[in-house]
Amino acid sequence: MLAGFVALALVVAFHRPLILWALNRFGSDIASKAGITLKWQVEGSLWSDLSISAVNAHADDPGLKLTLGNLALAYDLAPAWQGDYFSVAKGITLHDIDATIDLRHPKPAAAKAPAKPSDPKQTLELLRKVKLPAIDLRNINATVLLPDATVTVTDLDLDWPAGHQGTLHVGSIEHPALAKYPLRNVTAQLALDGTTIRIDSLKLPPEVEVGHLHADLSKFDQNEIAADTRIRSGQATIDLKAKMNLKTFATEATIDIANITEAGAARWVKDLPPAKGKLDKLHIVTKGDPLHPRQLDASIEMLVTGLAFKDYRGDRVTLTTTL
């Protein structure tokens, strides 16, 4: 019995170096059984913080190559003993990642039993309990090889202190579909406030700013979500407010578009007719299922000024209709 107490005392006294040695020693062996060659260095304490550095991982299948400068986790296990798992995570730091993921030859998905539908009320309660830890991402770079294209993200940074807004910066996003309008120096402010997700001041080239994009999940237990956004490009603005029933897809939306000139439209739409004028106002209200456009009810109000097209001239053209 005495020997048992001594052994237990030694484990308690030296648990940190023992556990870290085990992780460094056997972590690579465990990864190799999953087909991943892994090299890493683990430091810290399993009870409150953990730091993983100098990570180098690659696999022929599923086609992963990864180098990581530093991964650090800060947490407090005490709340978990009282059932508060959402207060355990305190912070995550992820620096200097270069990853390549090859999805050109995906494995056939294994047959799975149909997932049990989630209870909207339980999902809403979980959302209300979520507490985001502090997030510090720096110099994240990833290349995803798809069957028909390659997506590359470079220089992604995210500084999101716990309880405050986060600041996102992406150096570039490359994809063949973005060849005409390459995304460079994308910035945004992010926030999660209970059941509201907010993206503010999202700046996209060329000269596009999403002033705000808010999603309201407060009625998720009633299978309803709501969203609103405001987009600006030059003097042109687009305002959208909508709510949708997630079961029936019944949607109510209001769209307001203003101050679009022919020069502004030409930046986004190819092969426009040789017309001049300014779309001062376009107000659209729709109700119905967007998956079945012919069943939508809509009312439209439009005002165009200074319209000139071939032999037609109109200083002020208005249109009001119901579909």
Side-chain angles (χ1 to χ4, degrees):
M1 181 177 292
L2 179 60
F5 280 118
V6 172
L8 179 60
L10 288 173
V11 170
V12 171
F14 299 102
H15 69 277
R16 181 176 179 272
L18 285 173
I19 293 174
L20 294 181
W21 174 84
L23 286 173
N24 283 312
R25 173 62 180 84
F26 299 110
S28 298
D29 294 338
I30 295 173
S32 66
K33 293 181 179 179
I36 299 174
T37 301
L38 173 66
K39 295 181 180 180
W40 65 356
Q41 184 64 39
V42 182
E43 298 177 349
S45 166
L46 293 183
W47 309 122
S48 61
D49 61 84
L50 188 66
S51 177
I52 302 175
S53 60
V55 176
N56 190 307
H58 64 85
D60 295 330
D61 186 16
L64 168 69
K65 295 181 180 179
L66 170 69
T67 60
L68 183 152
N70 181 49
L71 166 62
L73 305 175
Y75 45 88
D76 181 3
L77 295 178
W81 312 137
Q82 302 175 3
D84 183 7
Y85 301 103
F86 294 95
S87 298
V88 171
K90 299 301 181 183
I92 178 170
T93 298
L94 199 56
H95 290 178
D96 302 325
I97 284 185
D98 285 291
T100 300
I101 304 173
D102 191 346
L103 301 179
R104 291 174 296 182
H105 307 288
K107 280 187 175 181
K112 295 182 179 179
K116 184 180 179 180
S118 60
D119 183 346
K121 291 184 179 180
Q122 292 181 353
T123 302
L124 183 61
E125 287 303 314
L126 289 176
L127 287 172
R128 287 174 172 159
K129 293 178 180 179
V130 168
K131 299 177 183 178
L132 285 181
I135 301 173
D136 177 16
L137 308 183
R138 290 287 182 274
N139 190 29
I140 310 299
N141 306 279
T143 299
V144 181
L145 306 177
L146 301 173
D148 57 350
T150 298
V151 181
T152 302
V153 178
T154 63
D155 194 21
L156 185 151
D157 298 332
L158 176 59
D159 181 13
W160 198 336
H164 297 81
Q165 278 194 337
T167 300
L168 172 70
H169 171 267
V170 182
S172 69
I173 302 175
E174 298 180 3
H175 184 275
L178 302 173
K180 184 176 180 181
Y181 303 110
L183 296 181
R184 301 279 190 272
N185 295 318
V186 177
T187 60
Q189 300 294 316
L190 311 177
L192 177 61
D193 182 12
T195 56
T196 301
I197 302 170
R198 304 201 314 267
I199 301 176
D200 297 313
S201 303
L202 173 59
K203 295 182 179 179
L204 303 166
E207 299 180 16
V208 175
E209 179 175 355
V210 180
H212 70 267
L213 173 58
H214 297 170
D216 181 2
L217 307 179
S218 61
K219 295 185 178 180
F220 192 83
D221 57 338
Q222 303 172 35
N223 292 296
E224 180 178 301
I225 60 172
D228 68 275
T229 186
R230 180 177 180 83
I231 303 172
R232 177 182 293 277
S233 178
Q235 296 299 315
T237 59
I238 301 175
D239 291 278
L240 169 65
K241 294 183 179 180
K243 61 180 180 179
M244 172 184 284
N245 185 291
L246 297 175
K247 280 192 172 181
T248 65
F249 296 107
T251 302
E252 296 181 17
T254 301
I255 305 170
D256 286 292
I257 302 174
N259 301 321
I260 295 183
T261 64
E262 70 274 10
R267 291 195 308 164
W268 301 101
V269 182
K270 295 181 179 180
D271 303 322
L272 281 173
K276 293 185 177 182
K278 178 183 178 184
L279 177 62
D280 288 81
K281 170 187 173 183
L282 177 59
H283 177 71
I284 304 173
V285 178
T286 66
K287 294 183 180 180
D289 183 353
L291 299 178
H292 299 87
R294 293 185 179 182
Q295 299 177 15
L296 286 174
D297 295 326
S299 62
I300 301 173
E301 299 177 20
M302 184 173 68
L303 170 63
V304 178
T305 57
L307 179 60
F309 179 62
K310 295 184 178 180
D311 296 331
Y312 177 82
R313 298 290 185 275
D315 293 332
R316 184 180 178 88
V317 179
T318 60
L319 170 67
T320 302
T321 186
T322 301
L323 303 176

